[in-house]
Amino acid sequence: MTVQVIVLNGGSSSGKSGITRCLQAILPEPWLAAGVDSFVESMPASMEGSAAGIEFAPDGGVSVGPEFMRLEAAWRAGIAAMARAGARIVIDDVFLGGPSSQQRWEKVLTGLEVLWVGVRCDVAVAEGREIARGDRVRGMAAQQAEVVHEGVHYDLEVDTTGTEALECARAIAARTR
């Protein structure tokens, strides 16, 4: 069966968004991008900094509350419904809960052909990207670099430390057929 969903998991500033854009450019069929950053941006501003929503600590830590989790579950179900309706989707996520985050995706994506991809990057490189981006709380890259991969299983792993997003995307694309 042909892959219907690609799930990219990696820490902040690891290169997932760049890989997603490259995948959209090189894959022969159209693929939609569904990123956790877009989901967070779509939430009401009142949920940022709220114990019920999402909080970003000064050291880069991220904590999410029950209302965030409820909305995230609906977001995931919506993405799965689009895939079941025939859309091919690249998911760009950060598994803050490690294997429990993956299990939530596995549950909603049951019956779909999914390619699980770990996106790794050396902490120092990710921290440099974080600073250059200017839109992240400093420390997120370091806090997330390894923890998001602990206990998570992949079909493929790529490392953007010294490999361009396009080369990583080509390796991923080769596994979609």
Side-chain angles (χ1 to χ4, degrees):
M1 180 177 250
T2 304
V3 171
Q4 298 163 283
V5 178
I6 300 169
V7 179
L8 304 177
N9 173 50
S12 180
S13 301
S14 63
K16 299 178 307 296
S17 298
I19 291 171
T20 298
R21 286 188 295 276
C22 289
L23 283 167
Q24 288 179 305
I26 67 170
L27 287 168
E29 307 87 10
W31 285 71
L32 298 176
V36 70
D37 288 345
S38 297
F39 164 67
V40 171
E41 290 168 8
S42 73
M43 294 186 326
S46 62
M47 287 189 63
E48 189 170 325
S50 159
I54 186 168
E55 295 180 291
F56 300 97
D59 66 354
V62 179
S63 59
V64 297
E67 189 64 12
F68 178 95
M69 296 296 288
R70 185 185 72 76
L71 292 173
E72 184 184 44
W75 174 70
R76 287 180 177 176
I79 291 169
M82 288 190 300
R84 285 189 179 86
R88 295 171 193 259
I89 303 174
V90 180
I91 298 168
D92 166 350
D93 205 349
V94 179
F95 290 0
L96 294 175
S100 64
S101 295
Q102 185 173 36
Q103 289 163 2
R104 287 191 295 273
W105 274 118
E106 287 172 331
K107 183 177 179 182
V108 299
L109 298 174
T110 297
L112 296 168
E113 190 66 28
V114 180
L115 181 67
W116 298 93
V117 181
V119 180
R120 295 186 180 269
C121 183
D122 177 78
V123 174
V125 172
E127 286 176 319
R129 292 176 185 169
E130 177 179 74
I131 291 167
R133 288 174 72 153
D135 65 348
R136 295 286 186 269
V137 176
R138 297 229 1 226
M140 285 178 74
Q143 287 223 5
Q144 297 173 4
E146 293 302 321
V147 72
V148 300
H149 298 292
E150 292 174 5
V152 177
H153 62 85
Y154 299 112
D155 300 309
L156 174 68
E157 291 190 46
V158 296
D159 189 327
T160 65
T161 303
T163 307
E164 291 296 323
L166 181 57
E167 189 175 333
C168 293
R170 285 183 177 136
I172 296 165
R175 299 285 299 270
T176 64
R177 297 171 187 90

PDB file of all heavy atoms in Angstrom, residues 49-78:
ATOM      1  N   GLY A  49      -0.233  30.787  27.793  1.00  0.00           N
ATOM      2  CA  GLY A  49       0.074  31.253  29.134  1.00  0.00           C
ATOM      3  C   GLY A  49      -0.979  30.842  30.156  1.00  0.00           C
ATOM      4  O   GLY A  49      -0.962  31.292  31.291  1.00  0.00           O
ATOM      5  N   SER A  50      -1.893  29.972  29.734  1.00  0.00           N
ATOM      6  CA  SER A  50      -2.971  29.500  30.606  1.00  0.00           C
ATOM      7  C   SER A  50      -2.699  28.058  31.017  1.00  0.00           C
ATOM      8  O   SER A  50      -2.292  27.242  30.190  1.00  0.00           O
ATOM      9  CB  SER A  50      -4.301  29.580  29.841  1.00  0.00           C
ATOM     10  OG  SER A  50      -5.255  28.726  30.402  1.00  0.00           O
ATOM     11  N   ALA A  51      -2.950  27.739  32.267  1.00  0.00           N
ATOM     12  CA  ALA A  51      -2.745  26.367  32.744  1.00  0.00           C
ATOM     13  C   ALA A  51      -3.639  25.377  31.997  1.00  0.00           C
ATOM     14  O   ALA A  51      -3.311  24.206  31.878  1.00  0.00           O
ATOM     15  CB  ALA A  51      -3.009  26.285  34.244  1.00  0.00           C
ATOM     16  N   ALA A  52      -4.770  25.845  31.476  1.00  0.00           N
ATOM     17  CA  ALA A  52      -5.662  24.976  30.705  1.00  0.00           C
ATOM     18  C   ALA A  52      -5.181  24.828  29.269  1.00  0.00           C
ATOM     19  O   ALA A  52      -5.505  23.858  28.600  1.00  0.00           O
ATOM     20  CB  ALA A  52      -7.080  25.527  30.711  1.00  0.00           C
ATOM     21  N   GLY A  53      -4.389  25.789  28.815  1.00  0.00           N
ATOM     22  CA  GLY A  53      -3.924  25.805  27.429  1.00  0.00           C
ATOM     23  C   GLY A  53      -2.488  25.356  27.291  1.00  0.00           C
ATOM     24  O   GLY A  53      -2.147  24.210  27.563  1.00  0.00           O
ATOM     25  N   ILE A  54      -1.627  26.296  26.895  1.00  0.00           N
ATOM     26  CA  ILE A  54      -0.214  25.993  26.694  1.00  0.00           C
ATOM     27  C   ILE A  54       0.622  27.078  27.345  1.00  0.00           C
ATOM     28  O   ILE A  54       0.307  28.265  27.246  1.00  0.00           O
ATOM     29  CB  ILE A  54       0.127  25.833  25.193  1.00  0.00           C
ATOM     30  CG1 ILE A  54       1.573  25.358  24.997  1.00  0.00           C
ATOM     31  CG2 ILE A  54      -0.173  27.100  24.413  1.00  0.00           C
ATOM     32  CD1 ILE A  54       1.899  24.895  23.579  1.00  0.00           C
ATOM     33  N   GLU A  55       1.653  26.638  28.036  1.00  0.00           N
ATOM     34  CA  GLU A  55       2.550  27.580  28.713  1.00  0.00           C
ATOM     35  C   GLU A  55       3.980  27.324  28.268  1.00  0.00           C
ATOM     36  O   GLU A  55       4.411  26.167  28.173  1.00  0.00           O
ATOM     37  CB  GLU A  55       2.445  27.426  30.228  1.00  0.00           C
ATOM     38  CG  GLU A  55       1.069  27.795  30.759  1.00  0.00           C
ATOM     39  CD  GLU A  55       0.973  27.636  32.281  1.00  0.00           C
ATOM     40  OE1 GLU A  55       0.995  26.486  32.753  1.00  0.00           O
ATOM     41  OE2 GLU A  55       0.878  28.666  32.957  1.00  0.00           O
ATOM     42  N   PHE A  56       4.689  28.416  27.989  1.00  0.00           N
ATOM     43  CA  PHE A  56       6.094  28.355  27.609  1.00  0.00           C
ATOM     44  C   PHE A  56       6.903  28.946  28.750  1.00  0.00           C
ATOM     45  O   PHE A  56       6.767  30.128  29.067  1.00  0.00           O
ATOM     46  CB  PHE A  56       6.349  29.145  26.315  1.00  0.00           C
ATOM     47  CG  PHE A  56       5.562  28.624  25.143  1.00  0.00           C
ATOM     48  CD1 PHE A  56       4.357  29.202  24.775  1.00  0.00           C
ATOM     49  CD2 PHE A  56       6.031  27.541  24.410  1.00  0.00           C
ATOM     50  CE1 PHE A  56       3.630  28.716  23.698  1.00  0.00           C
ATOM     51  CE2 PHE A  56       5.312  27.044  23.330  1.00  0.00           C
ATOM     52  CZ  PHE A  56       4.107  27.637  22.978  1.00  0.00           C
ATOM     53  N   ALA A  57       7.733  28.124  29.373  1.00  0.00           N
ATOM     54  CA  ALA A  57       8.546  28.572  30.501  1.00  0.00           C
ATOM     55  C   ALA A  57       9.742  29.375  29.985  1.00  0.00           C
ATOM     56  O   ALA A  57      10.183  29.193  28.845  1.00  0.00           O
ATOM     57  CB  ALA A  57       9.023  27.369  31.309  1.00  0.00           C
ATOM     58  N   PRO A  58      10.297  30.257  30.812  1.00  0.00           N
ATOM     59  CA  PRO A  58      11.449  31.070  30.395  1.00  0.00           C
ATOM     60  C   PRO A  58      12.663  30.232  29.963  1.00  0.00           C
ATOM     61  O   PRO A  58      13.477  30.686  29.161  1.00  0.00           O
ATOM     62  CB  PRO A  58      11.775  31.900  31.637  1.00  0.00           C
ATOM     63  CG  PRO A  58      10.517  31.916  32.440  1.00  0.00           C
ATOM     64  CD  PRO A  58       9.818  30.621  32.147  1.00  0.00           C
ATOM     65  N   ASP A  59      12.762  28.992  30.461  1.00  0.00           N
ATOM     66  CA  ASP A  59      13.903  28.144  30.111  1.00  0.00           C
ATOM     67  C   ASP A  59      13.641  27.297  28.861  1.00  0.00           C
ATOM     68  O   ASP A  59      14.452  26.459  28.482  1.00  0.00           O
ATOM     69  CB  ASP A  59      14.274  27.229  31.277  1.00  0.00           C
ATOM     70  CG  ASP A  59      13.201  26.189  31.601  1.00  0.00           C
ATOM     71  OD1 ASP A  59      12.094  26.231  31.002  1.00  0.00           O
ATOM     72  OD2 ASP A  59      13.473  25.329  32.455  1.00  0.00           O
ATOM     73  N   GLY A  60      12.479  27.500  28.212  1.00  0.00           N
ATOM     74  CA  GLY A  60      12.155  26.751  27.006  1.00  0.00           C
ATOM     75  C   GLY A  60      11.241  25.571  27.228  1.00  0.00           C
ATOM     76  O   GLY A  60      10.850  24.903  26.280  1.00  0.00           O
ATOM     77  N   GLY A  61      10.894  25.294  28.474  1.00  0.00           N
ATOM     78  CA  GLY A  61       9.980  24.196  28.756  1.00  0.00           C
ATOM     79  C   GLY A  61       8.580  24.515  28.252  1.00  0.00           C
ATOM     80  O   GLY A  61       8.181  25.675  28.171  1.00  0.00           O
ATOM     81  N   VAL A  62       7.851  23.479  27.895  1.00  0.00           N
ATOM     82  CA  VAL A  62       6.483  23.625  27.403  1.00  0.00           C
ATOM     83  C   VAL A  62       5.588  22.714  28.228  1.00  0.00           C
ATOM     84  O   VAL A  62       5.902  21.543  28.431  1.00  0.00           O
ATOM     85  CB  VAL A  62       6.370  23.226  25.910  1.00  0.00           C
ATOM     86  CG1 VAL A  62       4.937  23.363  25.417  1.00  0.00           C
ATOM     87  CG2 VAL A  62       7.317  24.058  25.054  1.00  0.00           C
ATOM     88  N   SER A  63       4.465  23.256  28.703  1.00  0.00           N
ATOM     89  CA  SER A  63       3.488  22.415  29.391  1.00  0.00           C
ATOM     90  C   SER A  63       2.115  22.703  28.793  1.00  0.00           C
ATOM     91  O   SER A  63       1.809  23.839  28.416  1.00  0.00           O
ATOM     92  CB  SER A  63       3.497  22.657  30.899  1.00  0.00           C
ATOM     93  OG  SER A  63       3.208  24.008  31.183  1.00  0.00           O
ATOM     94  N   VAL A  64       1.325  21.644  28.694  1.00  0.00           N
ATOM     95  CA  VAL A  64      -0.004  21.781  28.116  1.00  0.00           C
ATOM     96  C   VAL A  64      -1.045  21.316  29.112  1.00  0.00           C
ATOM     97  O   VAL A  64      -0.804  20.417  29.909  1.00  0.00           O
ATOM     98  CB  VAL A  64      -0.131  20.997  26.788  1.00  0.00           C
ATOM     99  CG1 VAL A  64       0.824  21.555  25.744  1.00  0.00           C
ATOM    100  CG2 VAL A  64       0.104  19.511  26.985  1.00  0.00           C
ATOM    101  N   GLY A  65      -2.205  21.957  29.041  1.00  0.00           N
ATOM    102  CA  GLY A  65      -3.288  21.661  29.965  1.00  0.00           C
ATOM    103  C   GLY A  65      -4.420  20.891  29.304  1.00  0.00           C
ATOM    104  O   GLY A  65      -4.353  20.537  28.123  1.00  0.00           O
ATOM    105  N   PRO A  66      -5.486  20.655  30.054  1.00  0.00           N
ATOM    106  CA  PRO A  66      -6.588  19.816  29.572  1.00  0.00           C
ATOM    107  C   PRO A  66      -7.328  20.384  28.355  1.00  0.00           C
ATOM    108  O   PRO A  66      -7.749  19.630  27.488  1.00  0.00           O
ATOM    109  CB  PRO A  66      -7.509  19.688  30.786  1.00  0.00           C
ATOM    110  CG  PRO A  66      -7.127  20.806  31.696  1.00  0.00           C
ATOM    111  CD  PRO A  66      -5.686  21.104  31.431  1.00  0.00           C
ATOM    112  N   GLU A  67      -7.505  21.669  28.296  1.00  0.00           N
ATOM    113  CA  GLU A  67      -8.208  22.249  27.142  1.00  0.00           C
ATOM    114  C   GLU A  67      -7.351  22.128  25.884  1.00  0.00           C
ATOM    115  O   GLU A  67      -7.862  21.830  24.798  1.00  0.00           O
ATOM    116  CB  GLU A  67      -8.585  23.713  27.412  1.00  0.00           C
ATOM    117  CG  GLU A  67      -9.497  24.306  26.372  1.00  0.00           C
ATOM    118  CD  GLU A  67     -10.878  23.634  26.283  1.00  0.00           C
ATOM    119  OE1 GLU A  67     -11.257  22.841  27.157  1.00  0.00           O
ATOM    120  OE2 GLU A  67     -11.583  23.905  25.296  1.00  0.00           O
ATOM    121  N   PHE A  68      -6.051  22.321  26.018  1.00  0.00           N
ATOM    122  CA  PHE A  68      -5.133  22.109  24.889  1.00  0.00           C
ATOM    123  C   PHE A  68      -5.257  20.667  24.409  1.00  0.00           C
ATOM    124  O   PHE A  68      -5.383  20.409  23.206  1.00  0.00           O
ATOM    125  CB  PHE A  68      -3.687  22.408  25.305  1.00  0.00           C
ATOM    126  CG  PHE A  68      -2.684  22.172  24.207  1.00  0.00           C
ATOM    127  CD1 PHE A  68      -2.274  23.209  23.409  1.00  0.00           C
ATOM    128  CD2 PHE A  68      -2.163  20.902  23.977  1.00  0.00           C
ATOM    129  CE1 PHE A  68      -1.357  22.994  22.381  1.00  0.00           C
ATOM    130  CE2 PHE A  68      -1.251  20.674  22.960  1.00  0.00           C
ATOM    131  CZ  PHE A  68      -0.840  21.727  22.152  1.00  0.00           C
ATOM    132  N   MET A  69      -5.205  19.723  25.338  1.00  0.00           N
ATOM    133  CA  MET A  69      -5.270  18.305  24.985  1.00  0.00           C
ATOM    134  C   MET A  69      -6.590  17.963  24.284  1.00  0.00           C
ATOM    135  O   MET A  69      -6.605  17.182  23.333  1.00  0.00           O
ATOM    136  CB  MET A  69      -5.087  17.431  26.232  1.00  0.00           C
ATOM    137  CG  MET A  69      -3.713  17.564  26.888  1.00  0.00           C
ATOM    138  SD  MET A  69      -2.359  16.992  25.855  1.00  0.00           S
ATOM    139  CE  MET A  69      -2.624  15.228  25.935  1.00  0.00           C
ATOM    140  N   ARG A  70      -7.677  18.555  24.734  1.00  0.00           N
ATOM    141  CA  ARG A  70      -8.985  18.306  24.104  1.00  0.00           C
ATOM    142  C   ARG A  70      -8.980  18.811  22.662  1.00  0.00           C
ATOM    143  O   ARG A  70      -9.401  18.110  21.736  1.00  0.00           O
ATOM    144  CB  ARG A  70     -10.095  18.983  24.910  1.00  0.00           C
ATOM    145  CG  ARG A  70     -11.506  18.670  24.384  1.00  0.00           C
ATOM    146  CD  ARG A  70     -12.579  19.465  25.126  1.00  0.00           C
ATOM    147  NE  ARG A  70     -12.558  20.877  24.776  1.00  0.00           N
ATOM    148  CZ  ARG A  70     -13.035  21.377  23.628  1.00  0.00           C
ATOM    149  NH1 ARG A  70     -13.543  20.590  22.716  1.00  0.00           N
ATOM    150  NH2 ARG A  70     -13.001  22.670  23.399  1.00  0.00           N
ATOM    151  N   LEU A  71      -8.496  20.031  22.468  1.00  0.00           N
ATOM    152  CA  LEU A  71      -8.457  20.599  21.117  1.00  0.00           C
ATOM    153  C   LEU A  71      -7.461  19.872  20.225  1.00  0.00           C
ATOM    154  O   LEU A  71      -7.707  19.670  19.034  1.00  0.00           O
ATOM    155  CB  LEU A  71      -8.132  22.095  21.185  1.00  0.00           C
ATOM    156  CG  LEU A  71      -9.215  22.966  21.799  1.00  0.00           C
ATOM    157  CD1 LEU A  71      -8.707  24.394  21.974  1.00  0.00           C
ATOM    158  CD2 LEU A  71     -10.473  22.930  20.949  1.00  0.00           C
ATOM    159  N   GLU A  72      -6.337  19.449  20.805  1.00  0.00           N
ATOM    160  CA  GLU A  72      -5.345  18.708  20.032  1.00  0.00           C
ATOM    161  C   GLU A  72      -5.920  17.373  19.559  1.00  0.00           C
ATOM    162  O   GLU A  72      -5.670  16.941  18.429  1.00  0.00           O
ATOM    163  CB  GLU A  72      -4.076  18.484  20.847  1.00  0.00           C
ATOM    164  CG  GLU A  72      -2.974  17.810  20.041  1.00  0.00           C
ATOM    165  CD  GLU A  72      -1.758  17.497  20.881  1.00  0.00           C
ATOM    166  OE1 GLU A  72      -1.915  16.996  22.011  1.00  0.00           O
ATOM    167  OE2 GLU A  72      -0.646  17.742  20.388  1.00  0.00           O
ATOM    168  N   ALA A  73      -6.700  16.715  20.393  1.00  0.00           N
ATOM    169  CA  ALA A  73      -7.333  15.450  20.000  1.00  0.00           C
ATOM    170  C   ALA A  73      -8.275  15.681  18.815  1.00  0.00           C
ATOM    171  O   ALA A  73      -8.314  14.873  17.873  1.00  0.00           O
ATOM    172  CB  ALA A  73      -8.083  14.844  21.184  1.00  0.00           C
ATOM    173  N   ALA A  74      -9.008  16.778  18.836  1.00  0.00           N
ATOM    174  CA  ALA A  74      -9.902  17.101  17.727  1.00  0.00           C
ATOM    175  C   ALA A  74      -9.104  17.415  16.460  1.00  0.00           C
ATOM    176  O   ALA A  74      -9.477  16.993  15.354  1.00  0.00           O
ATOM    177  CB  ALA A  74     -10.793  18.285  18.103  1.00  0.00           C
ATOM    178  N   TRP A  75      -7.995  18.126  16.613  1.00  0.00           N
ATOM    179  CA  TRP A  75      -7.114  18.448  15.475  1.00  0.00           C
ATOM    180  C   TRP A  75      -6.591  17.162  14.851  1.00  0.00           C
ATOM    181  O   TRP A  75      -6.623  16.983  13.630  1.00  0.00           O
ATOM    182  CB  TRP A  75      -5.986  19.353  15.981  1.00  0.00           C
ATOM    183  CG  TRP A  75      -4.909  19.673  15.002  1.00  0.00           C
ATOM    184  CD1 TRP A  75      -5.006  20.475  13.902  1.00  0.00           C
ATOM    185  CD2 TRP A  75      -3.543  19.233  15.053  1.00  0.00           C
ATOM    186  NE1 TRP A  75      -3.786  20.553  13.258  1.00  0.00           N
ATOM    187  CE2 TRP A  75      -2.873  19.803  13.951  1.00  0.00           C
ATOM    188  CE3 TRP A  75      -2.829  18.423  15.931  1.00  0.00           C
ATOM    189  CZ2 TRP A  75      -1.527  19.582  13.698  1.00  0.00           C
ATOM    190  CZ3 TRP A  75      -1.483  18.215  15.675  1.00  0.00           C
ATOM    191  CH2 TRP A  75      -0.845  18.785  14.578  1.00  0.00           C
ATOM    192  N   ARG A  76      -6.115  16.256  15.682  1.00  0.00           N
ATOM    193  CA  ARG A  76      -5.598  14.981  15.182  1.00  0.00           C
ATOM    194  C   ARG A  76      -6.686  14.198  14.449  1.00  0.00           C
ATOM    195  O   ARG A  76      -6.446  13.630  13.382  1.00  0.00           O
ATOM    196  CB  ARG A  76      -5.036  14.141  16.330  1.00  0.00           C
ATOM    197  CG  ARG A  76      -3.730  14.665  16.850  1.00  0.00           C
ATOM    198  CD  ARG A  76      -3.222  13.811  17.987  1.00  0.00           C
ATOM    199  NE  ARG A  76      -1.912  14.316  18.402  1.00  0.00           N
ATOM    200  CZ  ARG A  76      -1.240  13.854  19.402  1.00  0.00           C
ATOM    201  NH1 ARG A  76      -1.714  12.849  20.123  1.00  0.00           N
ATOM    202  NH2 ARG A  76      -0.064  14.359  19.716  1.00  0.00           N
ATOM    203  N   ALA A  77      -7.873  14.135  15.028  1.00  0.00           N
ATOM    204  CA  ALA A  77      -8.976  13.412  14.389  1.00  0.00           C
ATOM    205  C   ALA A  77      -9.320  14.037  13.038  1.00  0.00           C
ATOM    206  O   ALA A  77      -9.622  13.321  12.077  1.00  0.00           O
ATOM    207  CB  ALA A  77     -10.199  13.392  15.311  1.00  0.00           C
ATOM    208  N   GLY A  78      -9.257  15.346  12.964  1.00  0.00           N
ATOM    209  CA  GLY A  78      -9.537  16.040  11.705  1.00  0.00           C
ATOM    210  C   GLY A  78      -8.510  15.714  10.640  1.00  0.00           C
ATOM    211  O   GLY A  78      -8.848  15.496   9.464  1.00  0.00           O
TER     212      GLY A  78
END
